[in-house]
Amino acid sequence: MNRRQTLSLLMAAGLGACFKREDGMRIWAMGTEGEKIVPFIDAFNHKTTGPKFRSQALPWSAAHEKLLTAFAADNLPDVIALGNTWVSEFAALDALEPLNQYGIDTSNMFEAAVDNATIDGKLLGLPWYVETRLLFYRKDNLARAGFQNPPQTWAEWEAQLAALGKIGGNHKFGAFMPVNEFEPLVAFCLQSQNQILTHNATKGGFQTNGIKATFAFVKSLYDKGYAAILSGAEAPDLYASFGRGEFTFVITGPWNIAEMRKRLPADAQDKWATAPLPGPTGLGASILGGVSLGINKASTQKTAALELIKELTSVGVQAEFSKATADLPAVKPAWALAGLETDAKAHSFYQQLSLAKAPPKAPEWERIANEMAIAMERVVRGIQSLDEALAGLDDFANDILAKRRYMINLKGNSHE
Amino acid sequence: MNKRLTLQAGWVFIAPSLFVLMVFFFGPVFLALIMSFSDFDIYSLADIDNLRWIGLDNYFKLVQTPLFWKALGNTFYLAIFGTPLSIAVSLGLAMALNVKNAPFKGFFRIVLFTPYVTTLVAAAAVWHFILDTRSGLLNQGLRLLGLEGLDWLGDPHYSLPAIILFSIWKSFGYNMLILLAALQKIPDELYEAATLDGANAWQRLLHVTLPGIMPSFWMVSLITLAGYFQLFAEPYVMTQGGPAQSTLTLMYFMYNEGFKWWNLGTASATAFVLFIMLLGISVLSPKNEAETKP
């Protein structure tokens, strides 16, 4: 029995799951996109002379586990939609076909998104749709505090938050930043000149000056009362309180443009806007997210798979897909076609995406990011000092990344 | 000679189930034990050569993981509060169904047993709606009584009680039927004699009913206890272990380690910790059962 068979047996016994191989080409995608992709796949099937594709939607909450078990069972689909933080994991599994050899032009895509899908020089997927985090803010509150424009630097932001705190009434807290969300913290860390993970993402860089300063800055927002110390479950309903203007800033992603338009009361609609994140010295970077399309290395029909992912990342299809899902296209020229360029709220995302950076490319990253939020919560709740927390984070990261270091050393030695 | 023949026949009879047990139970358990001494992770999944044998390191690391203790604490919370409550509800309803000449007994027996036969995931999805803060049935009922509704699944303080509430509803039917069968075996004469001796209802419960059903009572309690230790699907469907990891059970922790982060070594070690705890619980039973048998 070879490795895959052993594993399949274990999976079958352990999960009681049963994977049935079916004929034809398959593509798996997550969430709404997994459902909205159907007409695009139909159109592709209609047009293509090659094999036909079938799409299957996975719920986001179960997708990651499902993809890994499918890999263990040697049953991954031909084309895989991968959350951007999973790319390095599937690179470690050697499950994805490098696309460099196919001469695909990625010059019209957001660089951070292409970078995110590139591991050790290998392009392992094509960015399908992108997201990032930036400021949603209340223009009316800001105007009452005496500011006409959103902040460009940390210092400006702090000054605005301080002024907002003095208005009183409902505007007790300037920013809404639940402590259990790691994205804003990671976004600010990515603005630093130091890296969160150093040495090719094999060691923690939490005690470097830059990261330390970022943690201290975020901590100060809570300490000075600019943001309430809330975890997600305790937090009030975002839309209701933002609609009432109870806070001025929230750092969140593009899906909330549509949500805010839908859920905020009509009289609040012209009172909110979006803006790129402030940075230490000017508009700053943010965390790049989104989904890329990869080709299963074990697929027997790679040409057909390539044809599909090229189609899905072509300008026209990207624009249509964006209209159907409200996602942000990874391909820049599709923005104008989808009518996003004339939309000021979406345009801030264009600006931010051009400044965005890919998070560290280690398979263990998501776990470390979770721990960052937990550490920050301990600090702002006074359970730990900042220095202890950062030392603890370095220990945690170094421990989690031990196997990665071992693997990279192993690979390095075998090349010699 | 004769004895050897019967023995062989015995083997033939148990062979099919033994085979199934070997392949689907003892085999995987043994493999999991082996795996718990390794650092099986996604790198090993890519190439089995990347696997390293690390002895008891997984176990040492586990006891140093705060989240493991949190999950263990949640599991004990569920077991300690859930088990007596489940048994109390089951026993109370079994006794109600055992009342002489009560009307519609068959009907109530079926209705009360229904939750047990519903699909757990579907029922959990329904309870998700019942427990909803704003429009949930439970909170609307509380409001009718003039009480403030609670954020059952969103508040770390009430999420575990909400899970217990659901578990009781889901499982009391089975326990109730077992206890009802035991209750029906108690001869009426014992109650009559006790009444003649001047025992009140409480004394009759303590000195006639409970000793009479003790073997079944123990069995039901241990099964329920073991069930709470293995609780997984309820939080998985209703809360995903949240809020603030307040409904993360040991099983859920193991699942996350194994299938979310793909640390099968750590997950296997967790499984064996749970296994040893359950083994400890099952050792409790024969001793007490022997004591209670006349």
Side-chain angles (χ1 to χ4, degrees):
Chain A
M1 230 169 19
N2 67 23
R3 172 180 63 89
R4 288 290 174 80
Q5 281 169 330
T6 320
L7 282 169
S8 321
L9 201 88
L10 277 177
M11 289 308 119
L15 281 180
C18 175
F19 298 106
K20 189 168 172 284
R21 187 175 291 276
E22 284 169 59
D23 292 332
M25 305 282 285
R26 295 176 303 154
I27 171 170
W28 284 0
M30 285 78 66
T32 327
E33 288 76 17
E35 291 157 23
K36 296 271 170 75
I37 196 180
V38 175
F40 295 92
I41 296 292
D42 288 345
F44 176 81
N45 284 339
H46 193 70
K47 211 165 63 176
T48 183
T49 50
K52 313 285 181 207
F53 275 85
R54 229 161 23 86
S55 65
Q56 194 184 348
L58 309 179
W60 266 108
S61 56
H64 184 240
E65 287 100 303
K66 173 115 176 131
L67 285 169
L68 284 172
T69 31
F71 171 79
D74 204 4
N75 192 33
L76 278 177
D78 301 274
V79 176
I80 318 160
L82 285 172
N84 273 351
T85 48
W86 307 341
V87 177
S88 44
E89 207 169 349
F90 282 79
L93 291 174
D94 198 20
L96 299 172
E97 172 80 359
L99 304 174
N100 309 51
Q101 50 179 317
Y102 299 108
I104 298 165
D105 180 22
T106 54
S107 60
N108 63 357
M109 296 174 172
F110 287 101
E111 280 140 45
V114 177
D115 173 46
N116 188 91
T118 309
I119 313 281
D120 296 332
K122 288 180 192 160
L123 178 66
L124 296 176
L126 291 184
W128 185 23
Y129 57 89
V130 286
E131 55 127 309
T132 189
R133 309 287 165 123
L134 49 57
L135 282 180
F136 284 61
Y137 68 99
R138 293 277 304 209
K139 290 190 280 187
D140 53 340
N141 284 359
L142 215 50
R144 278 178 64 193
F147 299 93
Q148 295 313 312
N149 295 308
Q152 303 230 346
T153 63
W154 288 1
E156 264 181 60
W157 197 30
E158 284 194 276
Q160 295 188 350
L161 286 164
L164 282 162
K166 289 187 188 119
I167 296 178
N170 282 336
H171 310 284
K172 196 176 170 200
F173 295 113
F176 178 85
M177 282 208 300
V179 282
N180 61 324
E181 281 179 17
F182 63 74
E183 286 86 356
L185 179 61
V186 171
F188 287 122
C189 283
L190 287 170
Q191 298 176 344
S192 162
Q193 75 278 11
N194 290 109
Q195 290 189 308
I196 304 173
L197 300 181
T198 60
H199 300 85
N200 189 16
T202 60
K203 288 209 159 167
F206 292 100
Q207 294 182 85
T208 56
N209 289 335
I211 302 297
K212 205 177 199 169
T214 308
F215 268 71
F217 166 68
V218 175
K219 174 183 185 285
S220 74
L221 298 179
Y222 293 103
D223 287 351
K224 291 178 187 162
Y226 299 159
I229 303 170
L230 295 165
S231 67
E234 305 162 303
D237 182 58
L238 169 68
Y239 306 103
S241 42
F242 192 60
R244 287 193 294 266
E246 285 169 14
F247 56 86
T248 308
F249 300 101
V250 56
I251 298 170
T252 181
W255 60 89
N256 267 330
I257 294 186
E259 288 298 313
M260 298 279 189
R261 280 181 178 147
K262 196 166 72 190
R263 298 196 194 190
L264 260 47
D267 64 341
Q269 286 299 346
D270 57 347
K271 292 180 182 151
W272 66 278
T274 59
L277 284 185
T281 52
L283 288 183
S286 185
I287 180 172
L288 180 108
V291 169
S292 294
L293 294 167
I295 296 178
N296 178 5
K297 204 169 197 176
S299 169
T300 50
Q301 304 258 23
K302 294 200 185 82
T303 325
L306 192 70
E307 203 187 325
L308 177 68
I309 65 170
K310 272 181 164 170
E311 167 85 3
L312 291 175
T313 53
S314 65
V315 178
V317 172
Q318 283 265 307
E320 286 306 311
F321 192 67
S322 167
K323 281 187 207 160
T325 56
D327 287 330
L328 301 179
V331 176
K332 292 181 192 173
W335 282 62
L337 271 178
L340 291 170
E341 264 191 353
T342 47
D343 180 340
K345 279 160 185 156
H347 187 73
S348 302
F349 275 96
Y350 191 94
Q351 258 182 299
Q352 186 73 76
L353 281 163
S354 308
L355 292 167
K357 284 186 191 165
K361 289 183 250 177
E364 297 84 355
W365 163 246
E366 222 168 302
R367 213 170 178 176
I368 294 170
N370 273 319
E371 195 66 21
M372 284 169 69
I374 294 169
M376 182 51 95
E377 179 168 3
R378 281 199 295 261
V379 172
V380 298
R381 288 193 194 276
I383 300 167
Q384 242 179 349
S385 76
L386 184 60
D387 288 339
E388 281 167 0
L390 291 170
L393 274 174
D394 267 339
D395 288 344
F396 179 84
N398 291 340
D399 185 42
I400 291 270
L401 292 166
K403 185 71 176 265
R404 178 169 158 83
R405 280 196 300 278
Y406 165 80
M407 293 299 306
I408 286 176
N409 282 337
L410 207 68
K411 240 192 265 173
N413 291 338
S414 68
H415 284 313
E416 279 162 17
Chain B
M1 183 73 193
N2 216 349
K3 200 181 171 189
R4 230 190 80 204
L5 259 179
T6 40
L7 228 134
Q8 278 171 344
W11 278 110
V12 171
F13 279 118
I14 63 165
S17 54
L18 204 61
F19 174 76
V20 171
L21 269 178
M22 278 306 219
V23 172
F24 291 108
F25 183 73
F26 294 113
V29 167
F30 181 69
L31 285 177
L33 179 65
I34 305 260
M35 213 183 243
S36 76
F37 303 127
S38 78
D39 70 343
F40 199 110
D41 52 14
I42 58 156
Y43 299 108
S44 321
L45 188 63
D47 188 341
I48 200 76
D49 289 339
N50 296 333
L51 183 112
R52 292 181 295 179
W53 298 104
I54 54 168
L56 290 171
D57 273 11
N58 280 329
Y59 294 91
F60 292 136
K61 250 190 224 162
L62 211 53
V63 293
Q64 289 168 24
T65 308
L67 194 57
F68 168 76
W69 292 106
K70 171 108 189 163
L72 195 67
N74 289 342
T75 304
F76 272 100
Y77 181 109
L78 283 167
I80 288 166
F81 290 100
T83 312
L85 283 170
S86 286
I87 300 293
V89 171
S90 306
L91 185 61
L93 288 166
M95 285 169 63
L97 284 176
N98 197 36
V99 172
K100 295 270 169 277
N101 307 324
F104 309 118
K105 257 201 229 174
F107 171 75
F108 280 118
R109 205 164 47 213
I110 291 171
V111 168
L112 291 172
F113 190 64
T114 315
Y116 182 74
V117 292
T118 53
T119 315
L120 197 148
V121 172
V126 171
W127 270 78
H128 198 120
F129 292 116
I130 294 178
L131 294 168
D132 189 272
T133 319
R134 234 173 278 168
S135 50
L137 206 60
L138 187 62
N139 273 358
Q140 289 193 344
L142 286 175
R143 265 178 229 126
L144 277 183
L145 294 173
L147 294 166
E148 189 83 20
L150 295 173
D151 187 1
W152 289 100
L153 297 175
D155 187 317
H157 299 106
Y158 305 121
S159 50
L160 270 184
I163 297 277
I164 290 179
L165 195 65
F166 170 66
S167 305
I168 293 174
W169 174 85
K170 181 73 184 70
S171 64
F172 77 86
Y174 177 76
N175 294 344
M176 181 192 76
L177 278 199
I178 306 252
L179 291 173
L180 182 60
L183 284 173
Q184 284 170 345
K185 277 198 291 189
I186 301 176
D188 288 343
E189 292 81 18
L190 286 180
Y191 287 105
E192 284 163 16
T195 316
L196 277 177
D197 284 344
N200 61 24
W202 177 248
Q203 288 166 325
R204 286 200 299 273
L205 171 73
L206 233 53
H207 300 292
V208 181
T209 312
L210 281 182
I213 59 166
M214 203 34 103
S216 306
F217 187 82
W218 260 106
M219 190 204 77
V220 162
S221 303
L222 290 172
I223 289 179
T224 309
L225 188 63
Y228 275 109
F229 267 100
Q230 296 180 65
L231 200 79
F232 170 73
E234 290 86 346
Y236 181 72
V237 177
M238 292 165 78
T239 59
Q240 285 82 48
Q245 293 159 335
S246 63
T247 57
L248 191 90
T249 64
L250 207 51
M251 280 285 278
Y252 208 142
F253 173 81
M254 183 181 88
Y255 173 83
N256 275 347
E257 280 293 324
F259 297 110
K260 189 168 178 198
W261 308 119
W262 214 261
N263 291 322
L264 288 180
T266 329
S268 303
T270 315
F272 272 87
V273 172
L274 187 63
F275 177 70
I276 286 161
M277 289 195 315
L278 287 173
L279 208 65
I281 290 167
S282 60
V283 167
L284 286 176
S285 85
K287 188 175 147 242
N288 288 296
E289 219 171 344
E291 271 174 13
T292 53
K293 265 179 193 156

